[in-house]
Amino acid sequence: MFTFTLRLFSLLLISTTTSTATAQPYQATDHFLLDCGASSTTTSFSRRWSGDEHSEFLPFNSHVTSFLSTPTAQYPPPPENLYTTSRIFNTSSFTYKFPVSQGPKFLRLHFYPATYSNLKENQSFFSVSSNGYSLLTNFSASRTSCFLSQPRPKVSSFFKEFIIYVKDTQILNITFTPSPNSYAFINGIEIVSMPENLHFKAEKYKYLDQISGPVVDNYTALETIYRLNVGGGQISSKDDTGLYRSWDGDDNYIFGASFGLTWGMDSPIVYTTNTPNYTAPEIVYQTQRSMGLLSQHYNLTWALPVDSGFYYLLRLHFCNIIPQYTKKFQMVFKIFINNQTAEHEADPFFWTQGSGCPVYKDYGVYVVDPDGKGNKQDLWLALHPFYGQYLDGYLNGLEVFKLNMTGNLSSPNPERSCTTPPSRLTYPIKEKKKKTPYGVILGCVGGGLVMFSLLVLMVLCYRRRTMGKSSPRVTSKSFRSLLPSDRCHSYTLKEVKFATDEFNENCVIGNGGFGKVYKGYMEKTRNTVAIKRLNKSSSQGFHEFQTEIAMLSKLRHVHLVSLIGYCDENGEMILVYEYMAQGTLQEHVYNTNNPPLSWKTRLSICIGAAKGLHYLHTCGKRRIIHRDVKSTNILLDEKWVAKLSDFGLSKLGSKDPLKTHVSTLVKGSLGYIDPEYCKTKQLTDKSDVYSFGVVLLEVLCSRPVILRRLSDEQVSLVTWGKSCYRRGTLHEIIDPKLSGEIAPECLRKFGEVANSCLHEEGSERPSMEDVVWGLEFALQLQDIANEAVPENQ
Ligand SMILES: *[C@@H]1O[C@H](CO)[C@@H](O)[C@H](O)[C@H]1NC(C)=O
Ligand SMILES: *[C@@H]1O[C@H](CO)[C@@H](O)[C@H](O)[C@H]1NC(C)=O
Ligand SMILES: *[C@@H]1O[C@H](CO)[C@@H](O)[C@H](O)[C@H]1NC(C)=O
Ligand SMILES: *[C@@H]1O[C@H](CO)[C@@H](O)[C@H](O)[C@H]1NC(C)=O
Ligand SMILES: *[C@@H]1O[C@H](CO)[C@@H](O)[C@H](O)[C@H]1NC(C)=O
Ligand SMILES: *[C@@H]1O[C@H](CO)[C@@H](O)[C@H](O)[C@H]1NC(C)=O
Ligand SMILES: *[C@@H]1O[C@H](CO)[C@@H](O)[C@H](O)[C@H]1NC(C)=O
Ligand SMILES: *[C@@H]1O[C@H](CO)[C@@H](O)[C@H](O)[C@H]1NC(C)=O
Ligand SMILES: *[C@@H]1O[C@H](CO)[C@@H](O)[C@H](O)[C@H]1NC(C)=O
Ligand SMILES: *[C@@H]1O[C@H](CO)[C@@H](O)[C@H](O)[C@H]1NC(C)=O
């Protein structure tokens, strides 16, 4: 009976949505904004909040002490007016009562923990309940803000969002109860109606692991734990679809080194009856994180801390924005939640009858509480490619909700108490080094300028395809909004100056035609970066500069150096790159005092660089040819992960996929240039393969590509290496420091790969994909040999 009614109800809703939902923005029937402690109307988050003093929602209650307060000065200034006042309850319970219509409501409680009227924020513990649900118990806002500050920059204010279904009593009451010898406070209360069927559904949610979990019916209260615009930046409440939800970026929750790729487009999203336009704003569906095509070997994983001992509902949003993907069964992936398979064959095209329109999927999971303490635990979400023409997978948005257990949503406060935020970490400023990554970083920046034009082309093509009509006008503003704001960050000049100690000469790590490169420490994100400051005299216009950043930020791969931010304040043109702690590959191979790299490390660096190159060759409709592959353009991060840099000479391949070359002036570095390209002036991706073959020999033999003091036969590493390979004496010319370390089978395979890359005729050389495969095979051979032979032999 129960389910029947609900189902009928929902059917009715669906039929009404068909006719109206796509035609109307969601208009909340109830929308209360209360600025607690304020006596008049204020503006915060671009909305008008009424003061709660003398408010009709505060019933007369003579036994209650509540008073207004303004936070004292020692705290960071409140980000919104809402936080300048709070209402404090220091004796007994206190209830706000809101007359609302029947139906589901968002309830948002805003907190700004600070010292109010000499009451220290760390002494505030209280409970909050609403309509019979216990929302918070012995809650400490100051501890919560510390917890929230862990993965992200310091959080001074935050809100808790709950979803409560108001029954026919048509009252939403909120009761604050201070813990003994403590006090409660609240800065703002927000109540917004939501569409009836956004979360409350007739169908049961799909639960993992369990045969069944609780139904999300009108007796269930939910708490929003995460709402992420995956692969995009933050979205503020005013840019939501009339529900005033805030969306966060997902970068802080990516687990492991594989960040995948982020994509964005700004053509309109076509909503459907099943996914009406209030489900999520367009920008959520217009940005995504995908695995990239080289993903057979990893899971794209998010780790999201949640409270143990509760059921959680995960809502995954998908929308196809990659133009190559056009139909069902072309790109099928798996979805794992907490290491269990949630979806064996995820195919957003299949789910949308081949349209690729936005669609969301809900999954329920129980997070077990092993020790009964309700501590935080990571909730895992992972994508893994499965089958199809493209091995990939993507996600556009993610929402995580906690479901009440026996009327209770509260968990203990986060354990960690707040330590004083670490002040600016000191890092040793190295004396000016001789040969360093800067040349490379510089090149990368300079190269970026070239790269930019190529990318503009790519993205424009791409837009056109997605739209099926003329490409939209692109304004710098829309680009800015498409930037994944936490990965390609807009820094203030103040931050950059602080990071580089006012552009202190001691921080300079490189110098070049475009300007200087500094090593800097970013206070907010707490990481070391390479900061490139372009000369103000550079003629590049402001708009181009911005567009370039937007473009560069789209090309992301584990094995390509990333642009993480920029600063365009005050006429400055500053680019911020990830800092490559170990410098260039060359610095660790020869002419160096660095300890020799082990053979396995060298192999994995080569594999990484090969993957980066393969990505460039295959990532877009038109291949990108690097044109300057060499050991100084392969940078190493602190974990020895190889990253290609310096796209200064890069070229975009022909538009015609059948035409494999572009004709250009011959450019590149001596000793690395493909002889065929020199002769024909025709550049192909095989020219990169040749240069990569040269790098393989450098790594094996630890010597420069050209060494004039040697005998004629040996001057060129390539000629020498190839002749040794032919004569079967390659083992005689390897780096003596590696002697005995390389298994003969591994050397044979490695030599074969290097030699094939160096074939005179481009068409005979392998593709980078084959190179990756060959090197991985060589690594396996090495591993097998190592297992067979005990270490001490
Ligand atoms: C939903 O679509 C309608 C038109 O179809 C539009 O008027 C409305 O503004 C949209 N709502 C949102 C939140 O985008
Ligand atoms: C609550 O605050 C009022 C106003 O500051 C004060 O007079 C009263 O003593 C406080 N009560 C307790 C129990 O701290
Ligand atoms: C609150 O913080 C102060 C310092 O700001 C500290 O002395 C005090 O012990 C803390 N109290 C609690 C209950 O943590
Ligand atoms: C709050 O609402 C619930 C359910 O509507 C009701 O049971 C409870 O008595 C109310 N509490 C107060 C203090 O009004
Ligand atoms: C509330 O939490 C604090 C800190 O964890 C603890 O010291 C206090 O005893 C708790 N109070 C109650 C009533 O549980
Ligand atoms: C809640 O759901 C039950 C069962 O479907 C239904 O009978 C009841 O009318 C619903 N209540 C409200 C307030 O919608
Ligand atoms: C899931 O796998 C990760 C490693 O990928 C592991 O750290 C984690 O503990 C696992 N989680 C569960 C719930 O088994
Ligand atoms: C991906 O995650 C699933 C589930 O946790 C696990 O079984 C699988 O081994 C993982 N794959 C890789 C390559 O890490
Ligand atoms: C949530 O609370 C409601 C009302 O108290 C209760 O009926 C329901 O069983 C609870 N859900 C769970 C999973 O305990
Ligand atoms: C709700 O759960 C918290 C934490 O588990 C517990 O301290 C509190 O007593 C519970 N509240 C109710 C009303 O059951």
Side-chain angles (χ1 to χ4, degrees):
M1 175 59 199
F2 174 86
T3 31
F4 176 73
T5 335
L6 204 63
R7 187 157 297 158
L8 199 64
F9 185 50
S10 124
L11 277 175
L12 279 171
L13 270 167
I14 286 171
S15 52
T16 43
T17 36
T18 323
S19 52
T20 62
T22 47
Q24 261 167 32
Y26 181 74
Q27 288 290 347
T29 45
D30 297 303
H31 189 187
F32 294 98
L33 297 173
L34 210 56
D35 183 346
C36 302
S39 49
S40 59
T41 305
T42 60
T43 301
S44 287
F45 303 104
S46 313
R47 282 183 287 164
R48 310 270 289 159
W49 298 65
S50 37
D52 76 339
E53 213 180 354
H54 314 300
S55 153
E56 59 193 291
F57 313 124
L58 279 176
F60 291 104
N61 188 339
S62 53
H63 304 294
V64 158
T65 308
S66 65
F67 52 93
L68 320 169
S69 193
T70 26
T72 48
Q74 80 236 42
Y75 295 89
E80 295 280 348
N81 286 330
L82 183 60
Y83 304 117
T84 53
T85 57
S86 78
R87 186 164 294 278
I88 291 182
F89 321 104
N90 68 348
T91 47
S92 59
S93 300
F94 187 82
T95 302
Y96 285 91
K97 266 200 169 108
F98 294 87
V100 292
S101 60
Q102 184 178 330
K105 311 285 163 205
F106 278 118
L107 166 63
R108 301 190 182 105
L109 303 174
H110 292 259
F111 298 102
Y112 175 71
T115 296
Y116 294 99
S117 313
N118 296 325
L119 293 167
K120 280 233 175 290
E121 74 268 30
N122 64 359
Q123 280 153 13
S124 164
F125 291 93
F126 57 97
S127 302
V128 181
S129 64
S130 176
N131 285 21
Y133 297 101
S134 170
L135 305 182
L136 300 167
T137 303
N138 195 32
F139 168 74
S140 162
S142 84
R143 288 198 188 193
T144 304
S145 86
C146 292
F147 175 78
L148 295 174
S149 302
Q150 303 294 337
R152 298 180 259 207
K154 178 88 182 113
V155 170
S156 57
S157 60
F158 65 93
F159 63 88
K160 286 258 176 194
E161 181 182 279
F162 302 94
I163 298 172
I164 289 168
Y165 199 104
V166 175
K167 310 273 160 43
D168 48 14
T169 54
Q170 305 205 341
I171 293 277
L172 185 68
N173 60 26
I174 308 160
T175 304
F176 292 81
T177 312
S179 297
N181 305 317
S182 189
Y183 72 96
F185 77 98
I186 179 75
N187 298 85
I189 299 175
E190 184 183 342
I191 294 167
V192 182
S193 301
M194 60 197 276
E196 188 83 29
N197 60 344
L198 186 61
H199 293 291
F200 298 87
K201 304 238 158 187
E203 323 91 67
K204 272 206 156 184
Y205 285 95
K206 183 172 170 182
Y207 280 90
L208 305 168
D209 200 20
Q210 313 283 126
I211 293 140
S212 71
V215 221
V216 180
D217 60 9
N218 56 17
Y219 294 101
T220 312
L222 293 84
E223 179 181 349
T224 310
I225 309 294
Y226 295 102
R227 179 171 288 130
L228 307 177
N229 175 20
V230 175
Q234 290 177 353
I235 303 170
S236 69
S237 54
K238 71 174 186 337
D239 297 322
D240 193 40
T241 55
L243 299 168
Y244 303 102
R245 297 166 296 184
S246 301
W247 300 72
D248 212 350
D250 69 324
D251 281 8
N252 292 317
Y253 306 102
I254 299 277
F255 177 78
S258 304
F259 275 75
L261 303 168
T262 56
W263 297 91
M265 62 139 181
D266 60 4
S267 38
I269 293 294
V270 181
Y271 287 94
T272 62
T273 317
N274 291 329
T275 313
N277 67 0
Y278 51 73
T279 312
E282 286 199 316
I283 189 84
V284 169
Y285 292 118
Q286 283 166 334
T287 56
Q288 66 176 204
R289 190 179 294 280
S290 75
M291 283 187 281
L293 298 175
L294 266 177
S295 45
Q296 304 91 305
H297 303 297
Y298 79 93
N299 284 344
L300 179 54
T301 308
W302 291 262
L304 305 148
V306 297
D307 301 310
S308 320
F310 285 90
Y311 285 98
Y312 289 87
L313 214 59
L314 284 82
R315 173 162 293 184
L316 277 57
H317 297 266
F318 304 92
C319 175
N320 185 62
I321 61 169
I322 298 180
Q324 282 92 340
Y325 304 166
T326 53
K327 51 180 187 280
K328 293 187 231 182
F329 310 119
Q330 209 179 16
M331 193 273 301
V332 181
F333 54 102
K334 285 179 182 290
I335 302 173
F336 302 107
I337 295 175
N338 260 3
N339 306 354
Q340 300 160 53
T341 311
E343 202 70 64
H344 287 277
E345 300 185 26
D347 182 352
F349 278 98
F350 183 79
W351 291 334
T352 56
Q353 290 78 45
S355 72
C357 285
V359 59
Y360 64 83
K361 289 269 163 184
D362 290 317
Y363 305 93
V365 62
Y366 182 73
V367 175
V368 285
D369 187 4
D371 52 11
K373 291 198 187 120
N375 287 336
K376 297 270 179 199
Q377 217 183 91
D378 283 333
L379 177 63
W380 299 85
L381 170 68
L383 307 183
H384 189 82
F386 189 25
Y387 67 83
Q389 185 183 349
Y390 299 102
L391 287 173
D392 199 357
Y394 56 71
L395 183 64
N396 299 53
L398 173 65
E399 292 175 275
V400 178
F401 302 95
K402 184 182 189 181
L403 304 188
N404 73 282
M405 290 298 281
T406 57
N408 195 344
L409 272 167
S410 21
S411 289
N413 287 312
E415 263 176 46
R416 222 175 327 203
S417 67
C418 216
T419 49
T420 42
S423 57
R424 191 180 182 205
L425 293 179
T426 47
Y427 56 89
I429 293 175
K430 281 193 193 154
E431 77 286 4
K432 291 196 187 155
K433 278 172 69 185
K434 328 100 234 168
K435 292 186 254 101
T436 35
Y438 343 122
V440 180
I441 291 165
L442 268 179
C444 181
V445 174
L449 311 184
V450 177
M451 191 77 169
F452 145 58
S453 48
L454 311 177
L455 283 167
V456 171
L457 284 171
M458 282 176 60
V459 170
L460 286 181
C461 296
Y462 158 64
R463 275 164 198 289
R464 204 156 287 144
R465 274 203 57 167
T466 355
M467 300 268 307
K469 46 186 165 175
S470 66
S471 59
R473 198 170 52 86
V474 173
T475 64
S476 61
K477 189 170 167 290
S478 71
F479 265 124
R480 213 175 251 256
S481 65
L482 281 177
L483 282 177
S485 70
D486 26 16
R487 288 214 72 201
C488 193
H489 186 83
S490 159
Y491 290 100
T492 63
L493 189 54
K494 201 172 144 208
E495 284 172 303
V496 174
K497 280 187 170 168
F498 191 64
T500 56
D501 209 1
E502 305 282 327
F503 298 113
N504 190 325
E505 283 297 309
N506 286 334
C507 299
V508 173
I509 51 169
N511 221 323
F514 291 94
K516 285 178 177 160
V517 181
Y518 301 82
K519 179 177 176 178
Y521 180 77
M522 284 297 173
E523 175 87 352
K524 211 155 109 194
T525 44
R526 298 182 198 157
N527 57 347
T528 307
V529 294
I531 295 174
K532 166 72 176 121
R533 187 187 192 192
L534 295 166
N535 274 336
K536 280 199 185 176
S537 54
S538 166
S539 55
Q540 212 192 10
F542 176 76
H543 181 74
E544 277 184 348
F545 176 73
Q546 275 207 332
T547 319
E548 169 190 289
I549 296 156
M551 292 303 153
L552 269 179
S553 69
K554 302 265 183 287
L555 196 71
R556 291 227 185 262
H557 189 265
V558 222
H559 297 296
L560 300 184
V561 165
S562 316
L563 176 69
I564 52 180
Y566 64 95
C567 166
D568 56 7
E569 207 177 301
N570 205 6
E572 288 278 358
M573 295 190 280
I574 292 169
L575 297 179
V576 181
Y577 290 84
E578 58 179 326
Y579 179 72
M580 293 286 112
Q582 306 286 9
T584 71
L585 171 59
Q586 191 181 81
E587 280 173 80
H588 294 277
V589 177
Y590 54 86
N591 293 348
T592 175
N593 295 326
N594 290 322
L597 289 180
S598 73
W599 174 239
K600 279 191 69 175
T601 309
R602 293 185 199 208
L603 260 181
S604 34
I605 290 170
C606 291
I607 293 170
K611 284 181 176 171
L613 210 46
H614 171 54
Y615 170 72
L616 282 185
H617 288 176
T618 53
C619 67
K621 260 186 83 180
R622 298 175 62 187
R623 65 187 99 228
I624 295 168
I625 302 170
H626 186 285
R627 231 179 8 155
D628 202 11
V629 175
K630 53 183 178 178
S631 55
T632 47
N633 281 345
I634 296 169
L635 303 188
L636 301 169
D637 74 3
E638 74 284 355
K639 290 181 186 140
W640 303 99
V641 174
K643 311 215 175 204
L644 279 186
S645 72
D646 199 342
F647 303 96
L649 298 177
S650 303
K651 265 311 239 196
L652 200 60
S654 171
K655 255 192 259 183
D656 177 357
L658 296 176
K659 197 174 154 203
T660 54
H661 69 269
V662 278
S663 300
T664 75
L665 290 174
V666 175
K667 286 195 180 129
S669 298
L670 190 67
Y672 293 90
I673 305 180
D674 167 14
E676 190 183 64
Y677 164 47
C678 275
K679 262 185 253 151
T680 61
K681 316 269 181 292
Q682 294 190 336
L683 182 69
T684 72
D685 51 352
K686 295 297 174 71
S687 306
D688 279 351
V689 174
Y690 180 91
S691 310
F692 189 76
V694 182
V695 173
L696 292 180
L697 284 185
E698 276 182 279
V699 167
L700 182 68
C701 307
S702 300
R703 58 155 274 192
V705 181
I706 306 282
L707 204 53
R708 300 206 189 276
R709 63 180 151 81
L710 295 179
S711 66
D712 282 357
E713 187 190 23
Q714 296 185 20
V715 169
S716 156
L717 174 62
V718 173
T719 318
W720 181 229
K722 279 168 79 175
S723 86
C724 291
Y725 177 79
R726 268 196 307 273
R727 282 179 290 168
T729 57
L730 200 56
H731 59 278
E732 291 172 13
I733 65 162
I734 63 176
D735 182 353
K737 294 186 213 102
L738 293 175
S739 78
E741 213 186 311
I742 312 181
E745 313 80 66
C746 174
L747 179 62
R748 207 172 303 131
K749 183 71 202 171
F750 188 87
E752 179 192 310
V753 174
N755 188 61
S756 63
C757 289
L758 295 169
H759 205 284
E760 292 292 322
E761 284 166 55
S763 57
E764 296 296 308
R765 294 172 205 150
S767 68
M768 282 315 294
E769 189 177 6
D770 296 333
V771 173
V772 172
W773 190 87
L775 293 175
E776 282 185 335
F777 187 55
L779 181 61
Q780 275 175 21
L781 291 172
Q782 183 69 39
D783 283 340
I784 291 167
N786 290 357
E787 272 164 32
V789 183
E791 288 291 328
N792 54 3
Q793 279 193 15

